[in-house]
Amino acid sequence: MKKVIHLMFWLIFIGLILFLFSSHVIAEPDFQRQRLALVELIKDEVTTTRDFLQQEALDERVLDALSKVPRHEFVPDSQRPYAYENRPLPIGHGQTISQPYIVAVMTDLLKPKKTDRVLEIGTGSGYQAAILAELVDSVYSIEIIEKLAEQAASNLKRSGYGAVHTRIGDGYYGWESVAPFDGIVVTAVASHIPPPLIKQLKPGGRMIIPVGAPFMTQYLVLVTKDADDKVTTRQILPVSFVPLTGKH
Amino acid sequence: MATTKPGVPFQCAIGMISASALAYEVLLMRLFAIIQWHHFAFMIISLALLGYGVSGVVLALNRERLMQNFPLAIVANMMLFGISAPLCFLLAEQIEFYPAEMLWAPVQWLSLCAIYLLLAIPFFFAANVVGLSLYRYKAHISSIYAADLLGAGAGSVAIILLLFLVFPQKSLTVLIISAVTATLIVSRYGFGDKDVDMSPWFGAPLIIMLAVVFMLTEFAPLKVSPYKAQNQLLRVPGTKIIARDSSPLGVISVVSSGITPLRHAPGLSLNATTEPPEQLAVFTDADNMAAITQFTGKPETLGYLDQTTSALPYHLNRLADVLILGAGTGSDVLQANYHAVKHIAAVELNPRIAELITDKFADFAGHIYDGARIDLHIEEARGYLASTNKTHDLINLSLLDAFGSSAAGLYSMAENYLYTEQAIQEYLRHVRPGGYLSLTRWIKMPPRDEVKLLATVLEALKQSGIGDPSRRIAMIRGWQTSTLVIKNGAITTEEIERLKRFCDERSFDPVYYPGITAGEVNRFNIQQQPYLYQAVTALLGDNGPAFSYAYKFNIEPATDDRPYLFHFFKWRSLPESWSLLTKGGSFLLESGYLLLIAALLQAILASLLLIALPLWLWKDKLGIPAGSRDYRPILLYFFCLGLAFLFIEIAFIQKFILILHHPLYAITVVLSTFLLTAGAGSHFSQNLPSGTGKSPVLVPVTGIALLCVLYLLSFESICGFVLGSGNVVRYALSVLLVAPLGFCMGMPFPMALARLGQTAPALIPWAWGINGCASVISAILATLIAMQLGFNVLILLAVALYGVAAWCFPKASPGI
């Protein structure tokens, strides 16, 4: 009896160890399967929240990009098992990457075209830049936190997005030498929209800014510049929620 | 064990441990507010206090064994409290806990539980000391309880004074010293018997162990969450902390930006072309960023401040005299300077913040708080207004809370007396005819506090007898902020024209002005629906109540009785926001309120375990004869007392914030008065005739009920009378008002314990534990009740609970 208990103890112990490690050793085909499942989930969610987009579905190209970019390559090892859950993830240095659903919506709102030139302020881990690189010809990305910028550059190169132009520095003045841009994504929180960025937006261009706290995007601000350089913003609730039921 | 009477040194040591335990509680609140956020601090510390409940159970089950080694048990528990208090905090700090991830990562809940458990340990030891002593000195329970309460009262004052002098983490070492002193006193003199001198046993090891803990505490820096704004900024190259200061109101850090300018200009218009001058960031508790802006005396460098929604009143009319409430680091003062206002009165609550501008960084800030044009008042806003009859052309309150915390719904349980109906009425009394009250807030999506503030303002105007509020208010919004202006008089056509021009030039949208049309409200900063316009028109019309009911957030006006502007939670909306959790809707959950509910559920569950489980498994060991049901009234009695005591204490602290103005001083004065007078009441209770029935406890309970009802009925008159007096008189009167109530509230607990001492002494530790559990539930429940029903209801409920307790007062017949 004692031997059986002893054996069971070791079996459970080894099982637990294997279980703990197994979550960190997921094969690429598994990731691919998870990624596709995530895209399906996002598709479903968009159909229930189509109001804010004023369209039935996200651009197929955006969804396609999401299904190609290996998100697990852009998160720390400890977060890899959760890379394809629809949730924000910590990427170290007190920074996070948005949940894939929000990334999809933000990217869609930019209305990216193949020939576009897009600037990103706040490279983070490089995931958003990689998504953009799947959609447009030129992506420029600026990150102020040195370690994060180096890590992102390495992530991008490793995942086959070496063409993304990255720079360490202050994003407030944009990237003057390659401006203007068709689209700008400001993922680094700003107390206001930097006037130089508005200036570097092409007529007809779109800028997207997520507003909120870490792990929590409250709303998206879409800044558009029309052909006459008139600038307007749209405050977009990325979720189907109307504060008033309309029964009053 | 030669004596059955506790000596003075013993009582002193008990008092010192109770003082240290209360100081530790306050200190943990401060420390967790720095390393995490305030609402988590509240939740963590509330539950850690369950250490008192656990202590009750452990003592109840092991009371006889512990009694045999009473001196050893007391000294060991005191020593362990002294060591564990700093050590458990240091260990809890090492646990990786990120509240924002709780929605996604279940492991965070485990971390939270581990923190609770660790922090409960010191409270467990402190409670053991008092609980054991109550049992040991059954015939002198009122003296022990008095020492406990008097110590706690002294601790509540001492910790606040200490926090003015040293940084919070350094205060931990003072606790160690206090606990060591208590241990040494009790081990040498505490047992009144030369045979029981424990000091040789404890002296050397105690000093060695404490030296180790002391070193750890002194040299380990606080591990602040990487997601707090200060840590985020410090990752930017070139940034560094250039000044630090601390007071009970918070730890202030000033960060210079070095290479990359700070550029703090929230709500800046899209059309702005200028950026702010050089700035220094100022953080309170590593969050709530504000900026000190460099001012060289040239107003043209401040042009960006004219590009925000809060600049609106300066464009409606020429303003000569402005009152800035919550002046902080001075950006609103600079805005008034930019508009060449002749006289500015600035009111700031935190003297340490004001000192940054008047002293340490005065040259950088351009001495904006000096000179004949400006009067700086270090006071709470409503306190200042209550003490003056001056009127102003403009009273301005702008963005007094940081966006991050505000957005995450974390402030829901924080009372705020600046945005209540009564506050608005007070402000308007100080606005000259033709002048304005201007309130600027962050834009939220979907709108919450802007709508609730609107409802509050409209109700305040209605209560003031203003017939047509629709002629007096105007509101505009940008993409990030909105400004609501209330005029003391009707808004004129010229003012409307100026407002339109102001908005057009800056791409802001009018939300409302008299005569506005729907086509004007959603042009530059387009929302899916013009939510704020819909809200104003509905609230101004007959549809107000229906609108408020149908709105998915709680937008009932905030009042002084329910001062929770940031409490937006509606149960009805929970299923919907919950279902949207993974669909980008996590911000819809009012997490502050839900965490409070979660804390309450955890406290109830833990209390059930601590009370019901021993009853079920070890009834005999507790000292309850098999088959007896007479323990039930005892359980109910101590549970009701635990709830009621804190209900009253918390409600009166809030009520007195209005009289004493300053939340910190109100808490300190009211809490210490309650505890000290309750201690005196406890001591006095032994003089009351013991009687045989419930009659003894009816005396204090009747006193509590009468005083509560009297204060409830006459609080406004008392307020009116007291507010007109000077500072010293206000504080003295507050103490005099609280003292009789505290005195009465100190009696029921020791009276019942003394009765148990005569009839069923075995139940004393158990009763102590029940009271501990109830106190934990009470602190959380009181906040929830106040949020839903107000402080007056809370007081009435407490009176009812005292009534129930009186009915359950233990019988005089021996044994149960």
Side-chain angles (χ1 to χ4, degrees):
Chain A
M1 187 62 187
K2 210 173 177 183
K3 272 187 179 173
V4 174
I5 291 172
H6 196 70
L7 184 71
M8 276 178 69
F9 168 79
W10 280 108
L11 280 175
I12 292 170
F13 181 75
I14 293 166
L16 274 174
I17 299 281
L18 286 174
F19 175 73
L20 282 174
F21 280 96
S22 66
S23 61
H24 291 263
V25 191
I26 301 171
E28 183 56 38
D30 278 343
F31 279 136
Q32 173 70 16
R33 188 179 45 75
Q34 289 179 16
R35 200 154 53 233
L36 292 175
L38 176 67
V39 171
E40 287 306 311
L41 183 78
I42 291 171
K43 270 187 192 168
D44 284 352
E45 286 179 2
V46 170
T47 55
T48 61
T49 59
R50 61 175 81 96
D51 282 359
F52 69 86
L53 282 173
Q54 294 165 348
Q55 62 190 50
E56 288 300 309
L58 294 179
D59 184 348
E60 273 301 322
R61 290 181 65 235
V62 172
L63 294 171
D64 194 42
L66 239 73
S67 65
K68 283 182 187 162
V69 178
R71 194 175 185 237
H72 64 275
E73 295 286 357
F74 294 88
V75 296
D77 287 349
S78 59
Q79 300 298 327
R80 281 191 163 207
Y82 319 112
Y84 297 102
E85 287 181 15
N86 190 17
R87 54 176 265 204
L89 288 174
I91 52 168
H93 311 283
Q95 307 296 311
T96 57
I97 52 173
S98 300
Q99 67 181 117
Y101 171 79
I102 297 284
V103 173
V105 169
M106 280 170 56
T107 313
D108 188 273
L109 285 167
L110 278 181
K111 303 283 169 231
K113 294 188 295 293
K114 185 76 182 120
T115 52
D116 279 357
R117 175 173 293 196
V118 177
L119 171 69
E120 183 191 29
I121 307 296
T123 317
S125 70
Y127 179 64
Q128 174 76 67
I131 296 278
L132 289 168
E134 284 284 347
L135 295 162
V136 302
D137 285 343
S138 316
V139 180
Y140 295 82
S141 188
I142 306 173
E143 172 60 55
I144 200 163
I145 301 171
E146 205 173 312
K147 282 182 183 164
L148 211 53
E150 285 163 2
Q151 201 180 308
S154 143
N155 290 344
L156 285 164
K157 206 171 168 187
R158 194 178 57 245
S159 319
Y161 300 101
V164 172
H165 306 270
T166 57
R167 199 177 83 181
I168 302 170
D170 177 15
Y172 192 84
Y173 297 107
W175 200 315
E176 184 85 58
S177 60
V178 286
F181 298 95
D182 300 281
I184 300 179
V185 184
V186 186
T187 48
V189 182
S191 86
H192 58 273
I193 302 172
L197 292 186
I198 296 178
K199 213 171 154 190
Q200 288 178 22
L201 200 61
K202 268 186 196 171
R206 297 158 84 89
M207 184 193 306
I208 188 87
I209 307 168
V211 179
F215 291 98
M216 208 179 278
T217 304
Q218 192 194 132
Y219 63 95
L220 304 171
V221 176
L222 176 68
V223 182
T224 49
K225 196 189 238 185
D226 69 11
D228 304 324
D229 277 359
K230 190 187 157 207
V231 179
T232 52
T233 71
R234 254 179 77 198
Q235 287 148 289
I236 298 165
L237 206 58
V239 52
S240 181
F241 184 90
V242 183
L244 200 60
T245 52
K247 285 176 189 163
H248 68 286
Chain B
M1 294 259 271
T3 176
T4 52
K5 191 175 179 191
V8 174
F10 187 87
Q11 291 184 48
C12 278
I14 292 278
M16 285 174 79
I17 291 294
S18 297
S20 306
L22 195 124
Y24 184 57
E25 191 184 329
V26 175
L27 202 54
L28 283 181
M29 286 290 276
R30 288 285 330 114
L31 288 165
F32 273 88
I34 297 166
I35 63 172
Q36 293 286 344
W37 280 270
H38 171 264
H39 61 295
F40 279 99
F42 179 81
M43 184 159 110
I44 288 167
I45 283 73
S46 299
L47 287 158
L49 286 174
L50 279 169
Y52 278 84
V54 179
S55 157
V57 175
V58 171
L59 295 185
L61 297 176
N62 300 286
R63 56 190 184 281
E64 293 314 327
R65 202 179 324 151
L66 289 165
M67 272 311 106
Q68 284 161 17
N69 301 299
F70 178 73
L72 180 69
I74 287 289
V75 176
N77 275 295
M78 282 186 175
M79 188 183 80
L80 288 168
F81 168 74
I83 294 168
S84 63
L87 208 58
C88 287
F89 169 71
L90 292 175
L91 288 173
E93 212 190 5
Q94 301 311 312
I95 295 174
E96 301 270 329
F97 172 57
Y98 304 120
E101 281 195 83
M102 285 169 79
L103 287 174
W104 318 94
V107 71
Q108 295 296 334
W109 288 96
L110 289 179
S111 300
L112 187 61
C113 287
I115 294 175
Y116 291 158
L117 290 176
L118 267 174
L119 295 179
I121 293 170
F123 294 113
F124 169 76
F125 292 129
N128 280 349
V129 172
V130 183
L132 264 176
S133 307
L134 287 170
Y135 184 56
R136 168 70 182 81
Y137 299 108
K138 308 174 187 65
H140 300 277
I141 275 173
S142 53
S143 303
I144 297 290
Y145 191 57
D148 173 41
L149 289 173
L150 291 171
S156 67
V157 179
I159 188 65
I160 298 298
L161 294 176
L162 191 65
L163 284 170
F164 272 114
L165 300 173
V166 290
F167 283 88
Q169 65 267 44
K170 305 279 176 197
S171 307
L172 278 172
T173 52
V174 180
L175 289 192
I176 304 174
I177 293 165
S178 161
V180 171
T181 313
T183 313
L184 290 174
I185 289 176
V186 91
S187 59
R188 179 72 186 84
Y189 307 105
F191 305 102
D193 187 339
K194 284 196 175 133
D195 297 338
V196 195
D197 179 3
M198 311 288 294
S199 52
W201 291 96
F202 283 96
L206 192 70
I207 288 163
I208 293 166
M209 272 194 278
L210 287 171
V212 174
V213 179
F214 190 88
M215 295 289 279
L216 284 172
T217 318
E218 277 294 294
F219 297 108
L222 283 182
K223 204 176 161 202
V224 179
S225 165
Y227 299 109
K228 292 199 91 170
Q230 180 179 304
N231 270 359
Q232 302 257 321
L233 183 64
L234 285 173
R235 288 179 193 278
V236 174
T239 51
K240 63 174 181 208
I241 295 177
I242 55 170
R244 289 185 79 215
D245 202 352
S246 175
S247 80
L249 286 172
V251 171
I252 296 164
S253 315
V254 182
V255 178
S256 71
S257 50
I259 306 161
T260 312
L262 186 65
R263 308 184 193 103
H264 186 65
L268 196 69
S269 154
L270 295 171
N271 304 347
T273 49
T274 53
E275 60 179 273
E278 192 183 336
Q279 293 175 318
L280 298 170
V282 178
F283 294 94
T284 305
D285 288 345
D287 219 30
N288 292 310
M289 193 180 95
I292 305 176
T293 304
Q294 187 175 41
F295 183 51
T296 52
K298 293 176 187 163
E300 61 270 24
T301 59
L302 305 173
Y304 73 101
L305 289 170
D306 194 38
Q307 299 291 320
T308 58
T309 57
S310 62
L312 172 67
Y314 297 101
H315 290 260
L316 294 180
N317 235 322
R318 184 161 288 279
L319 307 173
D321 190 324
V322 171
L323 170 64
I324 313 275
L325 296 178
T329 50
S331 73
D332 293 331
V333 173
L334 286 175
Q335 191 180 49
N337 264 333
Y338 177 80
H339 291 98
V341 171
K342 282 187 187 148
H343 183 259
I344 304 165
V347 179
E348 170 56 36
L349 174 75
N350 191 340
R352 302 289 169 97
I353 292 272
E355 276 163 25
L356 295 176
I357 309 297
T358 57
D359 185 13
K360 282 181 192 154
F361 299 97
D363 287 343
F364 182 86
H367 297 270
I368 52 166
Y369 283 166
D370 303 331
R373 279 173 66 194
I374 186 156
D375 291 325
L376 175 65
H377 305 272
I378 305 298
E379 271 186 82
E380 194 273 336
R382 289 185 64 183
Y384 168 74
L385 289 175
S387 65
T388 177
N389 290 320
K390 280 184 194 161
T391 53
H392 305 268
D393 292 332
L394 168 68
I395 296 183
N396 180 47
L397 283 92
S398 288
L399 303 178
L400 297 183
D401 40 273
F403 176 77
S405 323
S406 181
L410 303 183
Y411 277 152
S412 55
M413 60 183 240
E415 64 284 343
N416 187 320
Y417 289 95
L418 293 176
Y419 300 109
T420 64
E421 273 175 42
Q422 292 76 6
I424 303 291
Q425 288 168 342
E426 184 74 28
Y427 302 149
L428 289 172
R429 272 194 287 278
H430 290 79
V431 172
R432 281 181 196 146
Y436 313 96
L437 165 65
S438 171
L439 307 164
T440 297
R441 303 240 14 110
W442 298 104
I443 289 276
K444 296 231 189 74
M445 287 287 285
R448 276 159 273 184
D449 49 340
E450 306 105 298
V451 182
K452 190 158 177 167
L453 186 58
L454 256 170
T456 306
V457 164
L458 294 178
E459 189 60 28
L461 292 173
K462 202 171 136 192
Q463 294 294 329
S464 302
I466 288 163
D468 190 4
S470 66
R471 307 292 314 160
R472 290 175 175 242
I473 64 165
M475 190 175 187
I476 62 166
R477 65 179 172 89
W479 73 273
Q480 207 177 12
T481 59
S482 68
T483 295
L484 171 64
V485 173
I486 304 114
K487 187 179 174 186
N488 186 0
I491 292 175
T492 63
T493 332
E494 293 77 33
E495 286 168 321
I496 293 172
E497 285 310 311
R498 288 178 204 136
L499 178 146
K500 285 184 186 172
R501 198 159 51 241
F502 177 84
C503 286
D504 274 345
E505 286 167 1
R506 291 161 184 78
S507 294
F508 294 146
D509 290 286
V511 171
Y512 178 83
Y513 57 76
I516 197 167
T517 57
E520 300 171 75
V521 297
N522 211 12
R523 292 183 301 150
F524 298 108
N525 303 284
I526 300 156
Q527 298 181 337
Q528 198 172 4
Q529 291 175 36
Y531 297 117
L532 286 174
Y533 168 74
Q534 291 170 346
V536 186
T537 45
L539 291 168
L540 279 171
D542 299 331
N543 277 340
F547 177 85
S548 181
Y549 177 78
Y551 207 73
K552 288 181 186 168
F553 296 102
N554 172 5
I555 52 163
E556 291 288 318
T559 63
D560 279 351
D561 192 43
R562 278 192 293 167
Y564 299 100
L565 181 81
F566 306 105
H567 169 45
F568 310 116
F569 184 83
K570 260 190 181 175
W571 282 104
R572 205 154 38 88
S573 306
L574 183 61
E576 187 178 358
S577 34
W578 192 266
S579 71
L580 295 170
L581 204 59
T582 56
K583 299 173 185 173
S586 54
F587 63 92
L588 293 169
L589 276 184
E590 287 298 323
S591 51
Y593 187 82
L594 284 177
L595 284 170
L596 205 57
I597 301 272
L600 180 67
L601 292 176
Q602 290 169 69
I604 291 175
L605 199 69
S607 300
L608 275 176
L609 271 177
L610 289 170
I611 296 170
L613 204 65
L615 265 181
W616 183 42
L617 294 177
W618 306 294
K619 222 174 193 175
D620 280 354
K621 274 192 167 182
L622 288 175
I624 301 168
S628 169
R629 288 182 171 188
D630 288 353
Y631 66 88
R632 289 180 183 178
I634 297 171
L635 192 157
L636 196 58
Y637 181 87
F638 287 101
F639 200 82
C640 286
L641 284 196
L643 288 182
F645 193 98
L646 275 182
F647 276 14
I648 291 186
E649 199 178 82
I650 288 171
F652 273 80
I653 285 172
Q654 294 300 332
K655 290 259 170 203
F656 276 82
I657 286 177
L658 280 175
I659 292 182
L660 299 174
H661 308 323
H662 199 297
L664 181 68
Y665 300 151
I667 290 169
T668 313
V669 168
V670 178
L671 180 64
S672 58
T673 308
F674 260 120
L675 291 170
L676 292 170
T677 53
S682 169
H683 195 72
F684 175 80
S685 66
Q686 56 197 331
N687 301 328
L688 284 176
S690 58
T692 50
K694 301 183 195 306
S695 56
V697 84
L698 288 177
V699 178
V701 168
T702 311
I704 293 165
L706 285 176
L707 284 166
C708 282
V709 173
L710 180 73
Y711 289 163
L712 273 183
L713 294 176
S714 56
F715 194 77
E716 278 193 24
S717 329
I718 294 172
C719 247
F721 173 70
V722 179
L723 278 176
S725 341
N727 272 344
V728 178
V729 178
R730 266 188 299 121
Y731 280 88
L733 282 174
S734 301
V735 170
L736 282 177
L737 287 167
V738 172
L741 191 55
F743 189 77
C744 293
M745 283 162 61
M747 294 187 212
F749 185 78
M751 286 171 88
L753 278 191
R755 176 65 66 86
L756 281 186
Q758 295 160 5
T759 57
L763 293 184
I764 291 176
W766 185 59
W768 171 242
I770 291 168
N771 193 258
C773 289
S775 302
V776 173
I777 294 176
S778 178
I780 307 168
L781 193 60
T783 311
L784 279 169
I785 292 173
M787 285 167 88
Q788 291 299 129
L789 306 165
F791 294 119
N792 291 343
V793 174
L794 191 62
I795 293 173
L796 288 174
L797 274 174
V799 171
L801 285 167
Y802 269 115
V804 174
W807 186 60
C808 298
F809 189 71
K811 289 182 210 163
S813 55
I816 62 167

